[in-house]
Amino acid sequence: MNGLFLTFEGPDGAGKTTQIRRLAAHLGERGFDVLLTREPGGTPISDRVRAILLDPDHGEMIDQTEVLLYAASRAQHVHQVILPALQEGRIVLCDRFIDASIAYQAGGLGLDKETVAAINRFASSGLQPNRTYLLDIPVEVGRQRLLDRSASAAGGGLDRIERKGAEYHARVRESFLQLAEENPGRIRVVRADRPADEVAAEIALDLAEHLGGRPDLGLY
């Protein structure tokens, strides 16, 4: 497998979507074959599961159902989209992956961490990112960004997960930071409460340094 798998993680409102698109454009301008995708979603089946997971009307969803639906969406996405792209030598940029399940479902919901991890190892056939960018932001800043976005004409309302309380989102953030401590060689924490240009520059520089051992990619 000659491709490169990069993921973006972080609490809601951290700016993942903005930054992953900027990195995709940055790499594309340099001639790399980039696939930009997201979770939950990324395939027709996975997108249907996403709609169920994020629908605010599904407040009765139990925690075990949430875990299994995310994993089911991921299984389809990994095997239909991500693995084939990596086997073709492409750079895959994914907005959220297994770290999100651990942070939101083990950290946020309080489920057993190893159980969540095991379910997702099975779903993904053990696939791990080469590098993960964790965009970290204080909960109150992220919440305000979400509220500002939902108030805009283009933003839409908050989804089922975004509507959860501040204590839940604080646990999610803490779980992300714990994952970063446990995986220092893979996860790079990036402070996201800064101008977007500064965040994008730090990510691009880190990726160039990280790929020093991959001369076949010739990033710069």
Side-chain angles (χ1 to χ4, degrees), residues 8 14-16 18-20 22 133-136 145 190-206:
F8 279 62
K16 296 179 295 73
T18 296
Q19 292 301 328
I20 198 170
R22 291 186 67 149
Y133 292 103
L134 171 56
L135 303 185
D136 182 48
R145 287 184 179 180
V190 180
R191 217 187 83 224
D193 57 344
R194 296 179 291 161
D197 287 347
E198 291 183 18
V199 177
E202 179 177 335
I203 292 170
L205 178 60
D206 175 82

Side-chain angles (χ1 to χ4, degrees), residues 60-89:
E60 77 279 11
M61 185 180 296
I62 65 170
D63 296 346
Q64 289 92 332
T65 299
E66 180 175 313
V67 172
L68 294 170
L69 283 176
Y70 271 107
S73 173
R74 178 164 296 127
Q76 190 69 30
H77 186 215
V78 165
H79 294 90
Q80 184 178 345
V81 174
I82 296 177
L83 285 177
L86 292 174
Q87 289 164 357
E88 293 170 359

Side-chain angles (χ1 to χ4, degrees), residues 12-172:
D12 289 290
K16 296 179 295 73
T17 302
T18 296
Q19 292 301 328
I20 198 170
R21 288 175 178 170
R22 291 186 67 149
L23 184 60
H26 176 80
L27 294 170
E29 289 167 359
R30 285 154 179 77
F32 292 97
D33 187 359
V34 178
L35 171 65
L36 178 58
T37 190
R38 69 174 184 178
E39 290 201 348
T43 75
I45 290 173
S46 302
D47 283 336
R48 289 194 177 190
V49 177
R50 177 188 179 90
I52 295 170
L53 280 163
L54 301 184
D55 190 336
D57 291 337
H58 294 159
E60 77 279 11
M61 185 180 296
I62 65 170
D63 296 346
Q64 289 92 332
T65 299
E66 180 175 313
V67 172
L68 294 170
L69 283 176
Y70 271 107
S73 173
R74 178 164 296 127
Q76 190 69 30
H77 186 215
V78 165
H79 294 90
Q80 184 178 345
V81 174
I82 296 177
L83 285 177
L86 292 174
Q87 289 164 357
E88 293 170 359
R90 304 177 72 184
I91 297 179
V92 178
L93 303 182
C94 190
D95 187 339
R96 296 208 183 284
F97 197 57
I98 293 174
D99 293 318
S101 285
I102 294 174
Y104 281 85
Q105 294 154 20
L109 297 178
L111 298 177
D112 180 70
K113 182 177 179 179
E114 180 50 38
T115 298
V116 175
I119 289 170
N120 282 283
R121 280 195 298 270
F122 171 73
S124 65
S125 293
L127 178 66
Q128 281 284 322
N130 298 100
R131 191 67 161 165
T132 296
Y133 292 103
L134 171 56
L135 303 185
D136 182 48
I137 193 169
V139 171
E140 61 274 15
V141 177
R143 297 295 290 168
Q144 189 58 53
R145 287 184 179 180
L146 290 178
L147 292 172
D148 292 343
R149 186 186 71 192
S150 66
S152 69
L158 299 181
D159 65 35
R160 186 180 67 86
I161 306 298
E162 293 169 344
R163 292 187 180 197
K164 292 180 181 289
E167 291 184 0
Y168 165 87
H169 287 283
R171 293 194 299 271
V172 169

